[in-house]
Amino acid sequence: MPSLMDIGKSAINAQRQALNVTGQNIANVNTDGYRRRDADLKEVSGSQSELASKSAQIGLGVSLGEVRRAFNSYLAQSANSAESKFQSASNFVNSLERLENLILPNEGDLSSQLTNFFGKISDISANPGDLAPRAAALEQGSGLANSFNVTAQVITELKGQLRQSIDEEVNALNRLTESLATVNSRLRASNIGSAPPNALLDERDRLVAQISKKALVTVEYGSRSEANLSFGRFVEGPSLISGDKAIPVNVTHSDLSGSIFQLGDGISFKSIDDGSIRGLTDSLTIIQSTLEKLDNLAVRVVEELNAMHINGIDYDGEKGKELFTAKQFTIDQPQTNSKELDVTLLQVPGKIDAMQEMQVIYSAATDEWTAKAADGTIVGKGRQEIDLDGMVLKVNSRAKNGDMFSVSRVRGEASRIDFLLLNGREFAAASNFVITPSSTN
């Protein structure tokens, strides 16, 4: 039968070990991934049988039982989901703030350059015989083109930086999933038949939390406490980690289709739910859209100003020339052609900006190429050469009936826009018609 001193000694030892657990919690309060430990005390029972004396059934004191790790899978998933949303919103806002700083109105920006250019043109209209406002407008025209170029350049650089950031985040995600797969393997192999080491479970949860910052994942725990991860909000989503196997994520970028993600050699998808990667891809989509709108603005400015200017008369009485040029076209051939055609495209700056996309088809019956606009209107014909004023198409190889090619717009007009006038006298401020009163008035 244990003495009172023995029971007291067991209590002191048990409480000392429990205090050690508390000390461990305090020491690791700032340790990344550490979960609080709780010490369970249990009775040291005596013999429990009819043969044992009643005194033996009193017990032998107390001892430290299980050291439990404070963990709730539901709370962990909720916290990780909230962190994914925060990282998505934070990266999205930060990226758009950078875009705003580039394009918001300020001294010398694109908006003020447009206003100043129209102001100089108004000065010429008010005093068409004065060369001073013409010289000022000449300088302002170059400044406007340069402002388009610089704005397009800084937005393009921002787009490149975001693409690089997405690549870095995806690479970081792959490193984390590889590490978690390794931890899963160690969990499966550790102390089979008993609880896994708490340190491994801490590392598992730390890695899951870090992965959740990159992308929203759903966690399903296996029989050995390993974490199996799926993309998205449901366990039925694409598998990212299964046991000790991590599937790498790859990303490709395109101006036409945006960012495309692929899991290994399998499924492809355009977006990831939440996380820093989602925030960056959403902001990249907006920046790409902004760049396209800037190109469309450049095209509109060029087309409308050129259309008005060529109908005027300049200082020397000559017909007005095109003010700006920005458009550029390229030749695209379908694989259904009988062979790859040798096609030359000559483009005339200024005049090319009045051209639109078109399709050119060969007819063997007439031995002639026909150029058609998008609405089906015939814009030109020729056997080996089609002169369309703004461009000249030359086909230097023999073709078969039905062979074709497309004349397609090359985006990036804002980065290419250029001012064409070299002399202020070339501004066409006069009308090419005269208004006279009738003699019968």
Side-chain angles (χ1 to χ4, degrees):
M1 182 181 75
S3 68
L4 185 61
M5 294 296 295
D6 291 333
I7 294 177
K9 181 180 178 181
S10 71
I12 292 173
N13 287 333
Q15 294 297 335
R16 178 177 57 80
Q17 290 175 322
L19 283 174
N20 288 342
V21 174
T22 302
Q24 179 77 353
N25 290 335
I26 296 172
N28 288 278
V29 67
N30 292 320
T31 300
D32 190 20
Y34 182 84
R35 300 273 184 176
R36 190 187 78 252
R37 313 287 198 254
D38 292 323
D40 283 344
L41 301 181
K42 68 176 183 178
E43 176 193 7
V44 180
S45 302
S47 301
Q48 300 294 322
S49 69
E50 294 182 356
L51 299 177
S53 65
K54 292 184 178 179
S55 59
Q57 297 180 28
I58 295 174
L60 303 176
V62 65
S63 67
L64 180 67
E66 180 183 3
V67 177
R68 291 185 293 104
R69 180 172 171 270
F71 175 74
N72 183 290
S73 60
Y74 174 77
L75 294 178
Q77 180 68 48
S78 298
N80 290 336
S81 297
E83 182 65 23
S84 292
K85 291 181 180 295
F86 172 77
Q87 291 295 330
S88 176
S90 176
N91 281 269
F92 181 75
V93 169
N94 291 339
S95 299
L96 290 193
E97 284 180 348
R98 295 169 63 186
L99 177 62
E100 286 181 347
N101 292 334
L102 294 176
I103 63 176
L104 281 179
N106 57 71
E107 185 177 354
D109 71 333
L110 180 57
S111 177
S112 62
Q113 290 289 336
L114 275 168
T115 301
N116 292 339
F117 178 72
F118 287 122
K120 299 301 182 185
I121 294 297
S122 298
D123 293 342
I124 296 177
S125 299
N127 299 283
D130 190 353
L131 292 179
R134 291 176 176 269
L138 193 70
E139 182 178 352
Q140 189 60 46
S142 298
L144 175 58
N146 182 68
S147 183
F148 267 108
N149 299 156
V150 171
T151 304
Q153 179 183 353
V154 294
I155 295 178
T156 300
E157 289 176 354
L158 178 57
K159 181 177 74 171
Q161 292 168 7
L162 284 181
R163 285 180 172 179
Q164 183 178 357
S165 297
I166 292 173
D167 293 340
E168 292 172 354
E169 290 293 284
V170 169
N171 290 334
L173 174 64
N174 288 332
R175 290 192 296 269
L176 289 169
T177 55
E178 285 290 341
S179 298
L180 182 55
T182 301
V183 170
N184 281 347
S185 177
R186 294 171 62 189
L187 282 170
R188 284 180 165 184
S190 65
N191 298 329
I192 296 178
S194 62
N198 285 330
L200 271 182
L201 297 177
D202 284 345
E203 179 65 7
R204 178 203 67 185
D205 293 342
R206 184 190 71 82
L207 290 171
V208 171
Q210 291 297 317
I211 290 171
S212 297
K213 292 181 179 180
K214 310 298 180 186
L216 178 63
V217 293
T218 298
V219 186
E220 187 176 30
Y221 298 99
S223 58
R224 293 296 302 151
S225 301
E226 70 273 17
N228 301 309
L229 269 56
S230 302
F231 266 127
R233 307 177 188 280
F234 307 101
V235 293
E236 295 82 6
S239 177
L240 183 60
I241 299 178
S242 179
D244 58 359
K245 181 181 179 182
I247 303 175
V249 180
N250 302 304
V251 59
T252 56
H253 306 286
S254 168
D255 289 340
L256 294 177
S257 55
S259 298
I260 303 296
F261 300 91
Q262 184 175 22
L263 269 176
D265 297 327
I267 185 173
S268 297
F269 43 94
K270 280 190 64 67
S271 65
I272 291 177
D273 287 343
D274 294 333
S276 59
I277 297 176
R278 173 62 181 270
L280 291 171
T281 53
D282 285 350
S283 56
L284 180 60
T285 301
I286 291 180
I287 289 172
Q288 178 64 37
S289 174
T290 302
L291 199 55
E292 292 175 0
K293 291 177 180 177
L294 183 65
D295 285 339
N296 292 336
L297 175 61
V299 170
R300 183 177 178 184
V301 167
V302 171
E303 289 181 345
E304 295 186 4
L305 288 180
N306 284 357
M308 290 187 294
H309 196 259
I310 60 177
N311 290 319
I313 304 298
D314 68 11
Y315 187 87
D316 297 318
E318 300 293 334
K319 189 174 182 180
K321 303 175 181 178
E322 288 80 5
L323 288 172
F324 297 92
T325 186
K327 279 189 179 180
Q328 193 175 92
F329 292 86
T330 188
I331 301 297
D332 295 323
Q333 300 185 37
Q335 296 182 350
T336 54
N337 279 354
S338 60
K339 62 179 180 180
E340 185 175 357
L341 303 171
D342 181 10
V343 183
T344 304
L345 173 60
L346 304 177
Q347 306 181 65
V348 182
K351 295 186 179 300
I352 190 68
D353 295 277
M355 306 301 297
Q356 302 296 329
E357 292 184 324
M358 63 190 72
Q359 191 174 65
V360 187
I361 305 174
Y362 177 72
S363 172
T366 59
D367 188 24
E368 194 173 47
W369 289 92
T370 302
K372 294 183 178 181
D375 60 2
T377 304
I378 296 177
V379 295
K381 291 184 177 183
R383 292 186 181 277
Q384 289 184 312
E385 180 178 306
I386 305 177
D387 189 346
L388 300 172
D389 190 28
M391 68 172 70
V392 178
L393 297 167
K394 291 184 177 181
V395 183
N396 305 310
S397 55
R398 295 291 301 174
K400 292 186 178 181
N401 188 60
D403 282 352
M404 66 177 65
F405 59 89
S406 299
V407 180
S408 304
R409 169 190 172 189
V410 179
R411 300 205 68 95
E413 289 86 356
S415 63
R416 293 192 304 266
I417 188 172
D418 190 25
F419 188 62
L420 296 176
L421 299 191
L422 301 176
N423 193 313
R425 302 167 69 97
E426 294 177 323
F427 279 105
S431 174
N432 59 0
F433 56 88
V434 177
I435 300 175
T436 57
S438 173
S439 58
T440 59
N441 283 351

